[in-house]
Amino acid sequence: MSITLLKGFLLLACAAHLTLLHCDRIITLLDGGRFDFRLLNDNEKLSAVMGTTPLERPMRSMVLGAFAMTAALPAYLALGAWMLPQSSVCGALMLAGGILFLLPGIAHHVFCGAVEWFYLRMNKTEEARAAIVEFFKKTSVTMYVCYFGLLIFAVSFFVAVVMGTTALPRWACVFNTLPLFLLLSPFRIVGTGNIANAIMFAGLFFLI
């Protein structure tokens, strides 16, 4: 694979994660405040946070997010392929991790939007809350597999760079989802993971 093509995929993934950041924000920062999964246990509080949020918002998040995650996939696979000649183990793990992150991740992203859409569509009743909680629990396996895949990808990439296996300088390990996420997490910014991923791909665009 040419470096030019790889860089193109990196830029595309950066843009895709910035788009996903927007998708996260429109289903988290709602009409009545900030959504929190703990609110799923209290219909009164959940209804208040949802407020008069229009149905169009979770729908836009689902559709736009699905396309954005699909657009990000080539960069994860390209980085795994780029790593293979330098470390076959890390490269293979990155390829596997990228697939596990993005494919179930598309479903997870759509399910998160669907939870809000159906709750609003069903007029925010207690029955609606019970239905979306059941739905979320029964589809949560996509979330676990998704983030497990991202962890495999990030750790494998981090280890390869820190050990000097790649052509990148060791300090380039900071342009990795894992350390960036840990650095940003205390600020409780909506879409922290997507910010970390966007920074990673932007940094790698200039370093590779």
Side-chain angles (χ1 to χ4, degrees):
M1 179 185 299
S2 71
I3 294 299
T4 301
L5 182 58
L6 174 57
K7 284 179 174 285
F9 285 148
L10 295 176
L11 275 184
L12 179 61
C14 180
H17 279 291
L18 291 176
T19 302
L20 287 164
L21 171 62
H22 168 70
C23 293
D24 284 348
R25 291 181 65 82
I26 62 176
I27 61 170
T28 304
L29 303 177
L30 302 171
D31 181 67
R34 179 169 175 163
F35 176 81
D36 188 307
F37 280 104
R38 289 173 294 185
L39 296 174
L40 292 175
N41 297 317
D42 188 321
N43 193 56
E44 185 176 343
K45 292 180 180 178
L46 181 61
S47 178
V49 166
M50 290 291 182
T52 57
T53 300
L55 281 168
E56 180 271 337
R57 286 178 67 177
M59 182 61 71
R60 175 157 38 108
S61 177
M62 284 188 279
V63 176
L64 190 59
F67 281 114
M69 293 198 80
T70 302
L73 179 59
Y76 286 88
L77 299 182
L79 276 177
W82 174 81
M83 180 65 72
L84 277 174
Q86 302 170 88
S87 171
S88 58
V89 173
C90 288
L93 287 172
M94 287 172 65
L95 286 169
I99 292 170
L100 287 175
F101 170 49
L102 272 304
L103 296 186
I106 293 172
H108 171 58
H109 184 86
V110 171
F111 292 155
C112 285
V115 162
E116 289 193 8
W117 191 89
F118 280 107
Y119 181 71
L120 292 168
R121 187 68 179 81
M122 296 168 69
N123 297 318
K124 302 185 294 183
T125 62
E126 174 58 30
E127 290 74 15
R129 186 203 65 81
I132 64 169
V133 168
E134 180 183 1
F135 176 81
F136 186 76
K137 287 180 177 179
K138 289 183 176 180
T139 59
S140 62
V141 64
T142 58
M143 175 181 68
Y144 296 127
V145 174
C146 163
Y147 291 124
F148 178 65
L150 180 58
L151 183 64
I152 292 174
F153 181 93
V155 170
S156 302
F157 190 29
F158 184 84
V159 168
V161 175
V162 166
M163 292 182 65
T165 306
T166 74
L168 296 172
R170 293 176 192 266
W171 58 262
C173 66
V174 299
F175 290 102
N176 183 293
T177 303
L178 186 59
L180 289 169
F181 181 82
L182 294 175
L183 180 66
L184 294 170
S185 287
F187 299 102
R188 299 186 70 249
I189 305 169
V190 175
T192 296
N194 284 308
I195 294 173
N197 285 328
I199 294 173
M200 176 183 74
F201 286 114
L204 293 175
F205 173 80
F206 292 104
L207 289 170
I208 290 181

